[in-house]
Structure formats: structure tokens, C-alpha cells
């Protein structure tokens, strides 16, 4: 029985989703341990932020965090629930006339919901430390930490329009790679596991940084949560080896 099944059968799912994500994350040691916090009773739901809205000041301002979490992320959760419902209806009726539209909505809002949940967790006012394993993989994949940040920044600030910069584990060559993601779902490279994501949609930085996406990226690096990332990375490696 895995952690999720245990929580379900023991009736703890509802409780777990009410706990602040930090206290839940401390006891759960499974990949993306926030899954029960973002899906409950057949519905996707908005997780609580694992820290206060102003906790990332001065790098990420409280007003941006509040709008970003309670308006933008909530809209993706609503859109995902709606698309899921519409696809279920279409399947039951055998009417797939609008399937292209709903599949696009499903991918867009699902990507939005999952990526934002990772994003909140990979940031923290307390940066923590990179594990030895994560450092080894950064060196092996990019040559140095400095090269990794330079590549991550160059790719992230060059995303065309709205999207994300992403550090992923690529299990075929057993290394880390950087991807750009357009919107929430385009240009994805399947089989990879996202390790760090940076939101470069204007809503993530415009109030404080206006069009200076590069300055926002530099600020983002001051709030990266290395403890969380190292723990997730360790679980990813274990699950593939
Ligand atoms: Mn966003």
C-alpha cells in the first residue's frame, strides 16, 4: 500500500489537505508529496501556500504572490475541473465534436495547476542546501553551478510570450536538462521529471519588475528552496534506478 492509498483507507486524505503543506511535506517522503493537497474527493483544488504571501519579500512581492496564487492559480484549478467534467460528459454521450478544444483546455489548465504547485514549493524564504547528489548531477550535466544558472536564465528569459523555464531529470541519458515551456504545456519533453520550474508569465513579476524579466530571474534565484528540491531529486533518482 502506498502513502496515498494508506491516507485514503485511513480517512486521512481530507485531513492531509487541510494541513499546511510544510507540515505535510515533512512527514511524506514520496515524489510530489503534495498530490493529496491538490486533489480531493474527485476535484482538483488550490493548495495553501507553504509560507505567508509576504515571505519572499523583497524578491517576490506580497501583492504579486497574492494575485498569482488566489486568482491565476485558482483559475487553472477551475479550468481543469471544468475540462475534466466536459470530457467525461463527451465520453458518456459519445459526442466528440468539441474534443480538440477540451483536450487543449485539459492540458493547459492541468499544466498550470501542477506547475504552479511545484513552483510554490521550490521557493522558500529559507534557501537550505543542495544535497551532494544534486550537486554531482548539476556538475555532470552542465559542467558547473555557474553554467547551470547561466543556461537556466538564458532559456527562461528567452521564452517566447508566456511560459516557464524548467530543470528536469531526463532518465534516458541519466542527467539534468533545461527546457522552455510555452504557456503551460507546449514544448514539453515527455519522460522527463520537472525538478525546478520558474514562472515567466508576466503575472509572476510585472507589478515589481515590469518588463525586466532578467531582474526577476535573478531575484528568483534568491528564494530557491534547495532542501525541498534535493529531497524531491533524491526520490526521483531512487524511483528510476
Ligand atoms: Mn503563473
Amino acid at each position: 500500500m502506498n502513502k496515498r492509498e494508506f491516507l485514503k483507507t485511513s480517512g486521512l486524505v481530507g485531513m492531509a489537505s487541510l494541513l499546511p503543506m510544510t507540515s505535510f511535506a515533512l512527514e511524506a517522503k514520496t515524489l510530489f508529496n503534495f498530490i493529496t493537497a491538490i486533489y480531493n474527493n474527485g476535484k482538483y483544488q488550490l493548495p495553501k501556500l507553504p509560507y505567508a504571501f509576504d515571505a519572499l519579500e523583497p524578491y517576490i512581492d506580497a501583492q504579486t504572490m497574492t494575485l498569482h496564487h488566489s486568482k491565476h492559480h485558482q483559475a487553472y484549478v477551475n479550468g481543469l475541473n471544468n475540462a475534466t467534467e466536459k470530457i467525461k460528459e463527451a465520453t458518456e454521450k459519445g459526442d466528440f465534436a468539441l474534443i480538440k478544444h477540451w483536450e487543449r483546455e485539459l492540458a493547459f489548465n492541468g499544466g498550470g495547476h501542477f506547475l504552479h504547485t511545484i513552483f510554490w514549493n521550490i521557493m522558500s524564504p529559507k534557501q537550505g542546501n543542495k544535497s551532494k547528489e544534486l550537486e554531482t548531477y548539476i556538475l555532470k550535466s552542465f559542467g558547473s553551478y555557474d553554467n547551470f544558472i547561466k543556461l537556466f536564465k538564458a532559456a527562461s528569459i528567452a521564452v517566447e510570450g508566456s511560459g516557464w523555464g524548467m530543470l528536469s531529470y531526463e532518465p534516458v541519458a541519466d542527467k539534468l536538462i533545461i527546457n522552455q515551456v510555452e504557456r503551460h504545456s507546449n514544448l514539453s519533453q515527455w519522460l522527463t521529471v520537472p525538478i525546478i520550474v520558474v514562472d515567466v508569465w508576466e503575472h509572476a513579476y510585472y507589478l515589481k519588475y515590469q518588463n525586466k524579466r532578467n531582474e526577476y530571474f535573478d531575484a528568483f534565484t534568491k528564494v530557491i528552496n534547495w532542501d525541498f528540491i534535493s529531497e524531491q531529486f533524491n526520490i526521483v533518482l531512487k524511483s528510476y534506478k
Side-chain angles (χ1 to χ4, degrees):
M1 186 184 289
N2 65 29
K3 173 101 189 165
R4 215 171 158 200
E5 285 160 352
F6 168 75
L7 287 171
K8 259 190 190 144
T9 51
S10 60
L12 287 173
V13 165
M15 251 177 82
S17 63
L18 294 174
L19 293 172
M21 272 170 49
T22 39
S23 60
F24 185 52
L26 286 177
E27 52 178 90
K29 299 288 181 197
T30 51
L31 184 59
F32 299 136
N33 50 39
F34 43 69
I35 282 172
T36 49
I38 66 171
Y39 184 79
N40 196 20
N41 286 329
K43 287 276 181 201
Y44 298 96
Q45 63 183 14
L46 185 69
K48 287 197 178 105
L49 273 188
Y51 35 74
F53 286 116
D54 64 356
L56 304 182
E57 293 266 15
Y59 303 109
I60 315 281
D61 58 293
Q63 195 186 2
T64 297
M65 287 299 290
T66 307
L67 287 168
H68 199 174
H69 178 263
S70 60
K71 302 291 181 196
H72 292 278
H73 189 171
Q74 181 69 61
Y76 303 131
V77 172
N78 298 346
L80 179 57
N81 281 323
N82 189 39
T84 303
E85 188 55 36
K86 290 294 194 295
I87 290 171
K88 185 168 166 260
E89 278 172 29
T91 309
E92 284 165 1
K93 287 184 193 154
D95 175 2
F96 299 107
L98 295 175
I99 198 60
K100 191 173 161 186
H101 169 74
W102 292 118
E103 287 292 346
R104 187 171 288 154
E105 285 288 294
L106 185 74
F108 176 79
N109 289 290
H113 184 29
F114 304 153
L115 288 177
H116 281 94
T117 305
I118 300 173
F119 186 53
W120 309 136
N121 279 274
I122 63 93
M123 295 190 292
S124 169
K126 189 175 154 285
Q127 288 207 265
N129 298 299
K130 290 184 271 306
S131 64
K132 263 229 134 42
E133 197 142 53
L134 181 57
E135 270 186 346
T136 304
Y137 269 80
I138 288 174
L139 285 185
K140 149 176 156 174
S141 308
F142 306 109
S144 68
Y145 177 76
D146 207 39
N147 284 356
F148 153 59
I149 289 291
K150 279 185 190 157
L151 172 64
F152 191 22
K153 179 175 180 177
S156 300
I157 68 176
V159 169
E160 207 162 78
S162 300
W164 299 77
M166 181 184 285
L167 173 73
S168 300
Y169 175 62
E170 193 274 83
V172 177
D174 183 33
K175 63 173 186 178
L176 296 167
I177 60 161
I178 300 288
N179 277 129
Q180 294 177 317
V181 181
E182 285 180 2
R183 290 158 61 80
H184 298 312
S185 44
N186 304 353
L187 306 182
S188 306
Q189 188 172 338
W190 307 121
L191 267 192
T192 62
V193 181
I195 305 294
I196 302 180
V197 298
V198 58
D199 193 338
V200 293
W201 286 56
E202 282 189 344
H203 66 226
Y205 62 87
Y206 199 81
L207 288 176
K208 188 172 170 78
Y209 296 98
Q210 290 83 48
N211 61 335
K212 290 166 284 196
R213 196 186 258 184
N214 60 331
E215 288 183 16
Y216 160 69
F217 186 92
D218 293 338
F220 163 77
T221 62
K222 306 291 188 197
V223 294
I224 292 177
N225 182 354
W226 290 112
D227 285 341
F228 177 84
I229 291 159
S230 295
E231 186 183 309
Q232 291 294 298
F233 184 59
N234 189 28
I235 295 165
V236 169
L237 286 186
K238 275 192 193 140
S239 64
Y240 277 94
K241 291 186 168 192

